[in-house]
Amino acid sequence: MLTSLILIPIIGSFLILLVSDETIKNQHQMKQIALTTSLINFFISLFIWYQFDSNTTQFQFVSEFNQLNFCHLNFGVDGISLYFVLLTTFVTPIALLSNYNNIIKNLKFFLVSFLLLESLQICAFVSLDLLLFYIFFESVLPILFIVIVIFGHGNDRFRSALLFFLFTLAGSLPMLLSILVIFNFVGSTDFQLISLYEISLDSQKLLWLGFFLALAVKTPLYPFMIWLPKAHADSPLAGSIILAATILKFSTYGMLRILINFLPDATNYFGPLLQTIAIVTLIFSSFSTIVQQDTKRLIAYSSVAHMSVITLGLFSNTIQGIEGGILLALAHGFVSPALFICVGGIIYDRTGTRVINYIRGLATYMPIFTILFFIFTLANTGIPLTLNFLGEQLSLIGIFELNPLVAALGATGIVLSACYSLFLYNRVSYGNLSPYLSPVKDLTRREYYLLIALLIPTVVLGILPNVILDSLHTSVSALLYSF
């Protein structure tokens, strides 16, 4: 089943390549193929979730391909990777629908790119080999680079794409060196073999720094965050959705799978340093968010703040903190794409601008949009009955047990997130309609369904979190045991 989950988007890409894109009818056919393929993948992932046995720590649905001497593919899921796979398959059709009517030129390349991105992301989350994880970790970079350059906005998009590509590629080189060192120690890069091997503390420290540098750039943590706002601001809406929802979660998954699992002593040793970096990132990005005038940059900086709270939870050495970090990562994967759809899709399509000073009084002509935008704004601040609230609270409770001062500083992010989120909502929604804007139409049916599709899991999982937590307890407990 995992093999089909990986191959179906690739098959859909080949079917799209066979269709000529000369006529509008053929373009519509290609869109239907891409959307149908991504939805089939989502339903398969739901079936995997249904069949998943949460009472064991073993990898399940394991599939191997070792017919070639130079290539040994080994895939499987456990309680941690399962939800990142579900998030990927859920967000991909939403990303395709978000630009359903905007992309006309190079449509075939656009659709094929996002289907291939889905396969590569799933491979990264289900790989049971460290070298394979690195390959798929990096494989999304060239596709996203080309997507930003071809389909992005503004004259500065090439520089933004280059920053994104170079920052993440350069940051990942120490990871590759660390993987080669582990291969030299263990003689293999297989996850289960590495977990059985005992590495000395001095060696763990050097390996930890190599892996952490790559994951800190991808998270991103201070001072490696300069690439993210620019990449978000200049990428197409679908690119921003994928980048916020799943690409940033590579680092979350890598921290759980590599740093905590394989290098527990070094993780414990560098804990205070990591907490300090996360707090600095949280406060710096929150204040940077408040002064932003570009709506997409504002949401991008808020993503950095949320990712720093996730980092605090993951390295709290408590079951509450780690599960809270995973919950907040999933919540961010729902709410952040919704906010990008609101500001970078709906508002931008109607007004032609993302500058907050030029947008005002949208509630007059867009009441339904304003209500949904308000709900997602509150979810972004972490109000009760949303998954964001549970994720933030569990993360902060977990880190409070380890260090109350760090938890108190981390809690300032809740207040600051309310400041910048409500500031954005209030400025664009109320007051007299801006003289720079003509009257605008409310949500279309497609936009309404997109926002509702993201709202339902945010609220339902916020009320019934045990749907996720019951499957996480065994895997997270096994992580803590090794830690």
Side-chain angles (χ1 to χ4, degrees):
M1 292 184 68
L2 270 185
T3 306
S4 63
L5 202 64
I6 295 166
L7 291 179
I8 284 175
I10 298 174
I11 295 170
S13 301
F14 280 119
L15 292 176
I16 292 171
L17 290 173
L18 295 175
V19 179
S20 172
D21 58 352
E22 296 176 356
T23 64
I24 295 177
K25 182 180 178 181
N26 287 354
Q27 289 186 346
H28 184 65
Q29 186 180 3
M30 288 191 297
K31 292 177 183 178
Q32 286 185 323
I33 293 172
L35 187 59
T36 304
T37 303
S38 60
L39 288 173
I40 290 172
N41 236 26
F42 175 57
F43 289 123
I44 292 174
S45 65
L46 285 178
F47 186 72
I48 290 175
W49 182 32
Y50 176 74
Q51 293 287 331
F52 184 79
D53 181 8
S54 59
N55 295 318
T56 177
T57 60
Q58 299 299 316
F59 289 101
Q60 301 173 46
F61 305 99
V62 175
S63 57
E64 287 190 66
F65 179 79
N66 53 7
Q67 277 70 27
L68 301 176
N69 292 329
F70 61 88
C71 182
H72 179 206
L73 300 178
N74 191 10
F75 299 120
V77 294
D78 65 349
I80 294 170
S81 57
L82 174 66
Y83 290 102
F84 291 107
V85 172
L86 278 167
L87 181 64
T88 303
T89 57
F90 176 76
V91 166
T92 301
I94 288 175
L96 291 171
L97 278 171
S98 66
N99 277 128
Y100 205 68
N101 299 326
N102 302 76
I103 306 297
I104 299 173
K105 294 182 178 180
N106 300 313
L107 176 64
K108 184 180 291 187
F109 178 78
F110 178 82
L111 297 174
V112 169
S113 296
F114 280 89
L115 289 179
L116 290 178
L117 277 175
E118 181 178 16
S119 284
L120 293 172
Q121 289 173 90
I122 293 171
C123 286
F125 289 129
V126 302
S127 293
L128 301 184
D129 187 278
L130 204 52
L131 187 59
L132 277 181
F133 173 75
Y134 172 80
I135 291 170
F136 293 119
F137 186 86
E138 293 297 289
S139 61
V140 299
L141 297 184
I143 299 177
L144 281 172
F145 174 84
I146 298 170
V147 165
I148 294 173
V149 169
I150 295 178
F151 303 103
H153 309 292
N155 297 324
D156 204 27
R157 62 183 183 274
F158 183 80
R159 183 170 182 269
S160 301
L162 200 60
L163 265 180
F164 161 70
F165 187 85
L166 292 179
F167 256 79
T168 49
L169 183 65
S172 299
L173 289 178
M175 176 193 278
L176 179 59
L177 291 175
S178 298
I179 292 171
L180 294 176
V181 172
I182 286 178
F183 180 77
N184 189 43
F185 279 161
V186 183
S188 172
T189 52
D190 184 83
F191 278 174
Q192 291 176 313
L193 285 175
I194 296 172
S195 63
L196 297 173
Y197 194 86
E198 189 170 342
I199 305 172
S200 67
L201 178 59
D202 291 336
S203 300
Q204 280 195 35
K205 289 178 186 177
L206 294 174
L207 294 172
W208 192 94
L209 289 172
F211 282 112
F212 175 71
L213 188 59
L215 299 174
V217 172
K218 189 79 88 176
T219 303
L221 296 174
Y222 185 86
F224 307 111
M225 50 201 280
I226 187 172
W227 64 267
L228 183 68
K230 294 185 71 63
H232 272 305
D234 294 326
S235 69
L237 177 57
S240 293
I241 290 172
I242 291 291
L243 190 58
T246 53
I247 300 296
L248 296 187
K249 305 308 178 295
F250 280 7
S251 60
T252 305
Y253 180 73
M255 289 172 181
L256 288 165
R257 184 65 73 212
I258 301 171
L259 296 185
I260 297 176
N261 197 17
F262 299 151
L263 309 170
D265 298 328
T267 301
N268 187 46
Y269 179 83
F270 286 111
L273 171 66
L274 200 144
Q275 293 159 19
T276 304
I277 293 173
I279 290 297
V280 170
T281 306
L282 173 64
I283 296 174
F284 179 82
S285 60
S286 296
F287 280 116
S288 300
T289 307
I290 293 172
V291 301
Q292 295 301 314
Q293 292 300 315
D294 184 299
T295 53
K296 283 187 79 175
R297 278 177 177 265
L298 191 149
I299 304 301
Y301 271 109
S302 75
S303 292
V304 178
H306 291 305
M307 291 302 293
S308 59
V309 178
I310 292 170
T311 305
L312 284 177
L314 296 182
F315 292 97
S316 64
N317 196 21
T318 59
I319 193 167
Q320 297 97 329
I322 295 175
E323 290 184 352
I326 296 171
L327 286 183
L328 186 54
L330 297 174
H332 179 262
F334 299 135
V335 173
S336 193
L339 290 173
F340 275 116
I341 290 171
C342 289
V343 301
I346 297 168
I347 294 177
Y348 182 73
D349 287 347
R350 285 157 175 74
T351 63
T353 182
R354 296 197 308 262
V355 180
I356 297 175
N357 290 335
Y358 289 100
I359 309 167
R360 192 171 66 239
L362 295 181
T364 308
Y365 294 100
M366 305 175 69
I368 297 174
F369 165 76
T370 307
I371 292 170
L372 288 172
F373 188 28
F374 181 61
I375 294 171
F376 281 114
T377 301
L378 291 180
N380 198 45
T381 64
I383 63 161
L385 300 183
T386 63
L387 192 58
N388 299 66
F389 169 75
L390 290 172
E392 286 189 358
Q393 296 308 308
L394 284 174
S395 298
L396 293 174
I397 288 170
I399 198 66
F400 184 84
E401 292 184 19
L402 186 68
N403 191 324
L405 178 61
V406 172
L409 291 171
T412 60
I414 298 174
V415 179
L416 294 172
S417 69
C419 290
Y420 58 69
S421 299
L422 294 174
F423 168 77
L424 170 66
Y425 173 78
N426 189 52
R427 288 287 298 274
V428 303
S429 299
Y430 298 118
N432 298 324
L433 187 69
S434 173
Y436 302 102
L437 303 180
S438 57
V440 291
K441 294 181 180 180
D442 210 340
L443 295 179
T444 64
R445 186 174 297 178
R446 175 182 60 86
E447 293 164 343
Y448 176 76
Y449 287 151
L450 279 177
L451 293 179
I452 289 297
L454 291 164
L455 179 62
I456 290 172
T458 304
V459 176
V460 170
L461 295 176
I463 299 171
L464 302 170
N466 282 345
V467 173
I468 298 174
L469 292 177
D470 287 344
S471 305
L472 281 178
H473 289 323
T474 305
S475 297
V476 172
S477 300
L479 269 184
L480 281 173
Y481 180 76
S482 68
F483 192 53

